[in-house]
Amino acid sequence: MAEAAQNLHISDEVAIQIDNMNKWYGTFHVLRDINLTVHRGERIVIAGPSGSGKSTLIRCINALEEHQKGSITVDGTLLSSDLKNIDKIRSEVGMVFQHFNLFPHLTILENCTLAPIWVRKTPKKEAEEIAMHFLEKVKIPEQADKYPGQLSGGQQQRVAIARSLCMRPRIMLFDEPTSALDPEMIKEVLDTMVSLAEEGMTMLCVTHEMGFARQVANRVIFMDAGQIVEQNEPEEFFNNPQNERTKLFLSQILGH
Amino acid sequence: MSDTHAQTVAYVRETMLPELEPPATERGVIKWMRENLFAGWFNSILTIFAAYVIYKIVVGALPWFANGIWTTDSLAECREILQGATGGCFSVLTERWNQLLFGFKYPDDQYWRPTLAFVVMLVSIAPVLFSHLPRKMLILTGLFPFVAFWLIWGGTILAPLVALLGFVAAYIAFKKVEHQSFAMGLLAGLITAIVVWFVGGFVSGAASNVLALEPVASRDMGGFMLNMILGTVCVSLSLPIGICLALGRQSDMPIIKWICVVFIEFIRGVPLITLLFVANVVLAYFLPPGTNFDLIVRVIIMITAFSSAYIAEVIRGGLAALPRGQYEAADSLGLDYAQATRLIIMPQALKISIPGIVNVAVGLFKDTTLVSVISMFDLVGMIRGPILASTEWNGVYWELWGFAVFVFFIVCYGISQYSQWLERQLQTDHR
Ligand SMILES: Nc1ncnc2c1ncn2[C@@H]1O[C@H](COP(=O)(O)OP(=O)(O)OP(=O)(O)O)[C@@H](O)[C@H]1O
Ligand SMILES: [Mg+2]
């Protein structure tokens, strides 16, 4: 399986460039000197103990959180406090949350067409066609007219993925997309993500699903205490971790 | 014996017997009564006591209604007919019907105008209340304020037409400039509106006979009509203002935030009645001498300020109840602040706030009767003043106040029933 992932094309083009990025919450130093280059087509899994700053890192990439030092460049656009830049980057970067965050007052279809219609100014009809296309892709076109509250967790998360894809993002961020799900629903969401990866989507994924990391990732990043402690190809990362903290973490999460 | 195989087996039933009814004690009314009215001795005593109270009220009130007199011209006449028997003198309602509805100064031959305005209101409010009605009807809703103003206050139709034109022109100007920036759009709209109103003011002043209805001054408005005018105008103004205040209070911009906080906290700390006295007396001092600032407008400003502060707090509660994830999801899709607020945040916050908003609206509508203390003759003012003070009807308390109670109850109960229906309609999280 690992070979399949390796065969996927990774271009030389840089999708995300993070240089010396630091972030504080008040006086608490959450992210320290983060340097990270993500090429187009890369599939990166971010792992690490709770509170290590994984969520904060990927939320900085679409400016849901502000960083205080260093620079983040997404798709050639420098993230600054300029609102135009931020909105542009956000419309190019899709994000999937742990708790789905679907809009409960809108139907599934409306959830998916909202941003294309208002941000991309896509005509309603076309937006609905795009939405149905992606809902078919995540295998729930028949739920289009229901409300999020009427769907199972796994279905909701697949809708959330479809909703992001409707904006035709060039990069997808996932923040523990499966950790609020029952075990039997995890697979359906992971399958969706795998097929997305196979289509060459640039993905950054915070997850504890190490099977997924082995199968899909071309790089695993390990974070601890706000730093990137180690990064490597999945095989190397799992079989031959260098850092003590990585070893401890892997033994805890794989060792049961 | 066609339904058994008597030849082979002694007895086999082939067809189902119909289900027997449960015994009488487990059925229908009796079962319901046993479970709900007579479950335990305490419950039974309460039931019997309540039944006794209801019986007493009905026995007392029934003859009063049944023997009611509807057609006399004064209390004395009515008493004469009754000859000491129990009975209501409802003739005060029929004789003073128009005064109760329109006040005592609205010209008699023009009653059709507020009546028509009321009917038009019912039609134009419908598409706002019921979202399955055709959206085209909202045009009617937009036109209603201008039509109603023309009908109730009279004068030339040009005045409300110019006002409407100003709004339309402002909207067009806003749309034209909006793409540059939102603030520029607002400014362009504002300037356009002022120009149109200024120019239009001359035109409508010069041609004041065009389609003119007999003008009626604000101080001549009265009766339940005045309550309805104040209620509808203030509710429909204070909802958008309340939304703005609630958003302003959450704003990142300190000046806007503090203006909103001070306004809300000040208004909430002051009794409405003092605000009304301010509107009546004090506000006149602040205005440049010679300006004749309509008393109704002053009262509307005060009541609106009062209820919008309360609505703002209700909506702030709704906003606070929304999970942060909703804001983040909207942000992450690239929606800007205005879009996220309008499409994602407000619909949900308002839905949560419906009971609170309705509470304020109902309270506001009832509080419109407070204007009677600053000598405006709304329904309560009419009863207290001209009607009870008249020689014909001095002393008819029950019938008049009962009528006032009935009218307000009907409207407020209607509003509350509507809100409950709306809440059920908006329920989307049923699993
Ligand atoms: N809004 C905030 N204000 C202050 N501290 C915060 C805030 N959000 C997160 N933190 C802190 O920052 C640190 C990193 O949080 P983050 O959510 O990025 O961790 P994480 O690696 O995603 O953890 P988990 O696996 O539990 O999701 C934590 O110690 C957390 O307590
Ligand atoms: Mg996290």
Side-chain angles (χ1 to χ4, degrees):
Chain A
M1 282 195 294
E3 279 98 79
Q6 248 83 77
N7 289 340
L8 285 171
H9 179 71
I10 296 170
S11 82
D12 294 335
E13 200 185 332
V14 174
I16 303 171
Q17 177 75 44
I18 301 178
D19 290 318
N20 252 320
M21 193 259 281
N22 281 269
K23 171 166 181 63
W24 288 263
Y25 280 123
T27 55
F28 176 56
H29 202 168
V30 220
L31 295 176
R32 299 161 188 263
D33 293 327
I34 304 286
N35 288 295
L36 180 66
T37 306
V38 181
H39 293 274
R40 190 159 300 296
E42 271 202 287
R43 300 151 314 275
I44 294 179
V45 162
I46 304 173
S50 181
S52 56
K54 308 179 295 289
S55 299
T56 311
L57 172 60
I58 69 164
R59 289 157 59 87
C60 280
I61 293 174
N62 67 352
L64 283 183
E65 301 286 354
E66 239 180 312
H67 60 280
Q68 279 86 29
K69 226 181 109 196
S71 73
I72 303 180
T73 310
V74 179
D75 243 349
T77 313
L78 181 71
L79 253 188
S80 60
S81 54
D82 186 357
L83 277 176
K84 283 243 159 63
N85 270 355
I86 291 181
D87 283 340
K88 177 168 181 294
I89 286 175
R90 281 177 180 162
S91 62
E92 304 295 334
V93 178
M95 174 130 186
V96 176
F97 300 87
Q98 180 174 3
H99 296 289
F100 331 134
N101 296 355
L102 293 177
F103 306 129
H105 63 301
L106 300 177
T107 62
I108 300 307
L109 190 64
E110 289 164 342
N111 263 279
C112 294
T113 56
L114 185 92
I117 288 176
W118 290 95
V119 181
R120 291 252 190 272
K121 315 284 182 211
T122 315
K124 185 162 182 259
K125 228 180 147 91
E126 198 184 323
E128 281 175 356
E129 279 163 19
I130 298 174
M132 286 315 291
H133 167 77
F134 284 111
L135 284 174
E136 260 155 45
K137 212 158 134 182
V138 299
K139 306 204 174 64
I140 33 177
E142 71 282 358
Q143 313 281 8
D145 293 324
K146 289 197 182 163
Y147 285 94
Q150 297 166 303
L151 267 55
S152 75
Q155 290 172 325
Q156 289 191 49
Q157 193 60 297
R158 284 184 283 153
V159 171
I161 294 173
R163 178 177 72 177
S164 289
L165 293 177
C166 284
M167 286 294 280
R168 310 267 188 190
R170 309 187 66 182
I171 300 164
M172 286 287 286
L173 309 174
F174 295 84
D175 190 0
E176 306 202 30
T178 55
S179 45
L181 297 177
D182 293 338
E184 71 268 24
M185 295 174 189
I186 291 179
K187 188 174 176 307
E188 64 189 47
V189 171
L190 288 182
D191 285 347
T192 309
M193 291 167 64
V194 170
S195 74
L196 203 56
E198 282 165 356
E199 285 166 22
M201 175 67 79
T202 312
M203 292 166 66
L204 263 82
C205 185
V206 176
T207 183
H208 294 138
E209 296 296 329
M210 290 307 145
F212 174 78
R214 280 178 196 270
Q215 182 185 351
V216 175
N218 64 300
R219 185 149 48 123
V220 180
I221 289 178
F222 178 72
M223 288 186 71
D224 191 21
Q227 283 175 308
I228 295 182
V229 174
E230 184 169 352
Q231 49 179 314
N232 217 330
E233 288 177 1
E235 284 309 308
E236 280 293 296
F237 180 84
F238 289 113
N239 299 337
N240 191 14
Q242 305 294 314
N243 191 293
E244 284 310 313
R245 283 183 281 180
T246 319
K247 284 178 194 163
L248 183 67
F249 176 75
L250 284 179
S251 71
Q252 277 167 355
I253 151 165
L254 301 173
H256 44 73
Chain B
M1 298 237 92
S2 62
D3 62 343
T4 58
H5 297 263
Q7 305 85 347
T8 49
V9 187
Y11 182 82
V12 171
R13 197 194 301 281
E14 267 192 342
T15 49
M16 289 288 277
L17 283 181
E19 269 183 43
L20 287 178
E21 295 209 339
T25 49
E26 284 302 323
R27 212 181 328 143
V29 183
I30 295 176
K31 172 162 183 267
W32 183 87
M33 279 176 52
R34 223 193 43 209
E35 280 175 1
N36 292 292
L37 300 179
F38 299 103
W41 61 269
F42 183 66
N43 194 320
S44 305
I45 290 176
L46 279 186
T47 302
I48 290 166
F49 178 71
Y52 177 73
V53 170
I54 292 170
Y55 168 78
K56 270 306 207 188
I57 291 174
V58 169
V59 164
L62 210 56
W64 193 68
F65 281 110
N67 297 338
I69 308 289
W70 293 87
T71 49
T72 58
D73 285 336
S74 73
L75 181 60
E77 239 178 89
C78 168
R79 292 236 165 100
E80 215 163 277
I81 296 177
L82 282 171
Q83 294 287 353
T86 322
C89 286
F90 300 113
S91 38
V92 67
L93 303 180
T94 49
E95 206 246 345
R96 295 296 172 106
W97 180 248
N98 286 325
Q99 286 194 359
L100 289 168
L101 290 192
F102 305 108
F104 64 119
K105 283 200 215 143
Y106 206 91
D108 305 8
D109 54 345
Q110 305 292 324
Y111 287 150
W112 63 271
R113 279 157 46 183
T115 313
L116 180 60
F118 180 72
V119 174
V120 178
M121 180 192 82
L122 293 184
V123 178
S124 35
I125 213 171
V128 180
L129 299 185
F130 305 104
S131 57
H132 55 264
L133 289 175
R135 294 295 85 193
K136 285 234 170 61
M137 279 178 77
L138 283 173
I139 296 174
L140 197 63
T141 316
L143 293 179
F144 171 71
F146 306 97
V147 174
F149 176 84
W150 181 56
L151 281 174
I152 295 176
W153 272 267
T156 170
I157 198 172
L158 287 181
L161 209 60
V162 165
L164 173 63
L165 226 66
F167 281 112
V168 173
Y171 179 74
I172 294 172
F174 170 76
K175 275 285 157 198
K176 282 258 190 302
V177 188
E178 190 195 11
H179 62 93
Q180 288 185 19
S181 94
F182 191 74
M184 284 287 289
L186 283 185
L187 194 67
L190 194 65
I191 292 172
T192 316
I194 289 173
V195 169
V196 171
W197 285 332
F198 192 73
V199 174
F202 279 116
V203 176
S204 69
S208 57
N209 295 327
V210 181
L211 274 176
L213 293 169
E214 182 187 337
V216 182
S218 282
R219 61 179 175 281
D220 295 345
M221 307 287 156
F224 191 62
M225 174 182 75
L226 184 57
N227 297 109
M228 286 298 286
I229 293 175
L230 293 175
T232 29
V233 173
C234 294
V235 168
S236 34
L237 287 179
S238 55
L239 191 59
I241 296 178
I243 291 175
C244 293
L245 284 172
L247 290 173
R249 196 172 182 160
Q250 293 212 321
S251 167
D252 295 332
M253 286 175 268
I255 296 178
I256 291 182
K257 181 177 172 145
W258 285 112
I259 289 176
C260 292
V261 170
V262 168
F263 178 84
I264 292 171
E265 294 305 329
F266 173 74
I267 295 282
R268 291 206 311 157
V270 182
L272 175 58
I273 199 139
T274 56
L275 290 179
L276 289 177
F277 278 119
V278 169
N280 192 19
V281 207
V282 187
L283 218 56
Y285 289 119
F286 292 111
L287 297 166
T291 41
N292 182 15
F293 201 38
D294 206 303
L295 179 60
I296 287 202
V297 176
R298 283 182 265 160
V299 166
I300 284 177
I301 291 176
M302 285 307 175
I303 300 182
T304 304
F306 189 77
S307 51
S308 54
Y310 279 88
I311 287 185
E313 284 303 277
V314 170
I315 293 176
R316 187 165 72 105
L319 287 172
L322 279 196
R324 241 171 71 99
Q326 291 292 309
Y327 292 86
E328 292 178 351
D331 282 348
S332 76
L333 286 168
L335 296 168
D336 61 29
Y337 174 79
Q339 291 168 338
T341 306
R342 189 157 55 88
L343 302 167
I344 309 298
I345 305 305
M346 264 309 145
Q348 296 185 63
L350 286 179
K351 185 179 136 189
I352 303 173
S353 316
I354 289 173
I357 292 175
V358 168
N359 212 6
V360 175
V362 166
L364 179 157
F365 184 63
K366 291 186 295 185
D367 283 352
T368 58
T369 56
L370 286 177
V371 298
S372 64
V373 301
I374 54 167
S375 51
M376 289 174 88
F377 293 98
D378 75 313
L379 181 55
V380 169
M382 280 307 294
I383 294 175
R384 248 173 30 126
I387 298 181
L388 276 180
S390 67
T391 43
E392 296 92 353
W393 298 111
N394 193 343
V396 201
Y397 294 103
W398 283 93
E399 294 81 352
L400 284 168
W401 293 121
F403 174 71
V405 165
F406 178 73
V407 170
F408 276 96
F409 174 77
I410 292 291
V411 175
C412 296
Y413 185 71
I415 297 175
S416 121
Q417 286 299 305
Y418 168 74
S419 85
Q420 286 175 28
W421 175 84
L422 185 65
E423 274 179 69
R424 284 195 299 274
Q425 287 291 304
L426 295 178
Q427 192 103 45
T428 58
D429 48 0
H430 39 70
R431 289 209 162 228

